[in-house]
Amino acid sequence: HIFEVITYDNEIITYGYEDLVFSKDASKNKIKVKHLDNPVWHLKLDTSKVYLEKTETALKTLKNLISTNKLTFQDTGITKTYIKLKDKKLIPVLLFVSNLFNVPKILRKNLLSNAPKMSYFDFYRLLYFSNLMKR
């Protein structure tokens, strides 16, 4: 019955956030959604490079889903952080300093290394998304 009420949005043709759109549609249709604690296990199915490329694609998809009103800035942690920084007028400063010191390249190099610091991953995502949003 649920899949008769909610269907997959065929307009989403790139990787990322389609599950969140589906979940929001379910909630709008008063279908209870239970979110599970679902830890990620890295089974080395993708290389770090492929995973980072998928992350970048997902962030492009996120930007598109926001621009088409399928998602809002309040729907994800990264977009909530982006809005907080934007409201404080910190995004231009962050991007300027980041570009001045080539921070994305440094973070990317670390994330693709044999000993990546995962604390850099969210910062990389925030910088990448912020750059997408300024375009």
Side-chain angles (χ1 to χ4, degrees), residues 11-24:
E11 291 179 13
I12 303 172
I13 57 172
T14 55
Y15 172 80
Y17 296 95
E18 61 279 353
D19 56 337
L20 182 55
V21 172
F22 187 87
S23 176
K24 283 188 67 167

Side-chain angles (χ1 to χ4, degrees), residues 68-133:
T68 57
N69 297 314
K70 293 180 183 192
L71 292 178
T72 71
F73 284 101
Q74 294 307 309
D75 289 327
T76 71
I78 192 164
T79 51
K80 287 179 188 176
T81 301
Y82 171 81
I83 287 299
K84 284 179 189 174
L85 293 172
K86 185 179 178 202
D87 288 347
K88 294 177 182 178
K89 313 265 189 268
L90 293 174
I91 292 294
V93 175
L94 177 69
L95 291 176
F96 176 77
V97 171
S98 163
N99 291 330
L100 182 66
F101 294 104
N102 212 359
V103 172
K105 185 176 180 181
I106 294 166
L107 294 175
R108 186 177 178 81
K109 183 177 179 182
N110 175 271
L111 293 171
L112 296 177
S113 73
N114 289 332
K117 294 182 182 177
M118 291 315 295
S119 58
Y120 289 4
F121 184 63
D122 283 336
F123 188 49
Y124 179 83
R125 291 173 58 232
L126 177 64
L127 289 175
Y128 193 89
F129 184 76
S130 298
N131 273 303
L132 288 174
M133 293 304 294

Side-chain angles (χ1 to χ4, degrees), residues 1-9 17-35 70-71:
H1 169 72
I2 291 172
F3 291 104
E4 291 171 356
V5 176
I6 305 167
T7 58
Y8 178 79
D9 187 337
Y17 296 95
E18 61 279 353
D19 56 337
L20 182 55
V21 172
F22 187 87
S23 176
K24 283 188 67 167
D25 286 347
S27 293
K28 286 179 193 172
N29 284 285
K30 300 190 183 349
I31 296 169
K32 189 174 181 179
V33 176
K34 182 173 180 165
H35 295 275
K70 293 180 183 192
L71 292 178

